[in-house]
Amino acid sequence: MLLYTVRMVRTMSGVQPTGNLHIGNYLGALVNWVELQKNYEAFFCVVDLHALTQRPDPAVLQRAVREVSIGILASGVDPEKATLFVQSEVPQHAELAWVMTCMTPLGDLNRMTQFKDKSTQQPDNINAGLFTYPILQTADIVLYRAEAVPVGDDQDQHLELARETVRRFNFVYGETFPEPKTVRSQAPRVVGLDGEAKMSKSKGNEVGLFETADETMQKLRGAKTDPARLRKSDKGNPDVCNMFAWHGFFTPQAQRDEIAAGCRSAQLGCVDCKRMLAANLEAVKGPIRERGNELRNNPGRLDDILAAGAAKARVAAEATMELVRDRIGLRKRR
Ligand code: AMP
Ligand code: TRP
């Protein structure tokens, strides 16, 4: 009798526990996490070690790890299908990061634009972790020998660096890791309420995943639209309006066509357009908020999910580390 074992291809991704999840995280990454868990062996991680580069207050970090985990689960990541865990509970991440540090030329890190951005954002704390941040990210991915990494387009450079490091490692020590590919969603770069910058917690231009309908409408009121449309009687151009771009993520085509026509003819005002958007956003966020509240009311369940996730991740991680230690010439552990 022939026995076949079918190994599923692996996917891996992470999100930082810095503040609350927003609809950019949801549209750019989480929707794909939910999709990929169906057909891949999935490892999803709350990357608390990465967050240390911002030196968060310990109590704030603890809370953010829980809230972000709740957000991931409430968005539809199913712990029966995917392994959800906290990075620091799998010590192999830090171990492999050191190995990868020794595989990464300084020149490659010097090119990372995120390091430059973060250095400007926190000029009083330009720590070495900020600089080697992409190496830890590479370790996160290759620790699971993952081939698919669902992220927004702000991670392109980090993923390219990960692929280069994998190639270098495989060249030096023999074929060990597959090259990880980026998986893009329909919205790899969601622009924030200001209509200018990428939505991000640090810019304060975000709509939080757990915000109530009222809070969201309040924020949408102040959101930028077509800059040339000053009065309702002015004809607008939906092609240059960020709110119309958001409709693209939440609103069915037929309603979008109506909105576009109403905007161009000045029959539909921006406030009404935003009300429709708020309603469609709420249709997505409402159920997520409800699932989030259920999880918050049952803290033991979250602890169980994260403990089980870490235990599973550690088994997969240790298998890779045994291979890596052998390849690079470290002593076998007994
Ligand atoms: P972070 O909160 O920076 O850890 O990001 C978590 C995930 O969300 C990463 O895959 C990011 O690429 C993605 N992401 C963050 N902001 C956005 C955005 N504005 N548009 C699309 N994806 C985003
Ligand atoms: N750097 C990513 C971000 O800021 C988070 C991250 C850490 C990650 N490790 C990862 C993403 C591994 C994908 C795979 O969004």
Side-chain angles (χ1 to χ4, degrees), residues 145 166-167 169-171 173-179 323 327:
R145 311 177 79 249
V166 161
R167 276 181 230 126
F169 189 101
N170 289 346
F171 178 76
Y173 294 114
E175 199 63 28
T176 307
F177 302 116
E179 274 187 38
L323 177 66
R327 289 278 154 92

Side-chain angles (χ1 to χ4, degrees), residues 12-16 47 50 133 137 140-141 149 151 155 158:
M12 194 282 155
S13 194
V15 57
Q16 291 196 71
V47 292
H50 278 103
Y133 177 111
Q137 181 165 351
D140 295 342
I141 297 165
V149 184
V151 282
Q155 297 304 310
H158 291 166

Side-chain angles (χ1 to χ4, degrees), residues 116-176:
K116 291 168 198 160
D117 293 347
K118 289 266 168 77
S119 306
T120 329
Q121 276 168 29
Q122 48 184 78
D124 300 331
N125 181 19
I126 307 180
N127 60 77
L130 271 186
F131 191 61
T132 59
Y133 177 111
I135 304 180
L136 179 58
Q137 181 165 351
T138 298
D140 295 342
I141 297 165
V142 302
L143 188 54
Y144 301 96
R145 311 177 79 249
E147 293 176 50
V149 184
V151 282
D153 73 0
D154 57 348
Q155 297 304 310
D156 283 356
Q157 248 196 344
H158 291 166
L159 266 286
E160 192 48 44
L161 181 88
R163 282 188 287 273
E164 277 163 20
T165 311
V166 161
R167 276 181 230 126
R168 193 173 301 109
F169 189 101
N170 289 346
F171 178 76
V172 176
Y173 294 114
E175 199 63 28
T176 307

Side-chain angles (χ1 to χ4, degrees), residues 51 59-60 62 67 142 196 303-304:
V60 171
Q62 290 245 357
E67 273 302 303
V142 302
E196 283 165 21
D303 288 331
D304 289 346

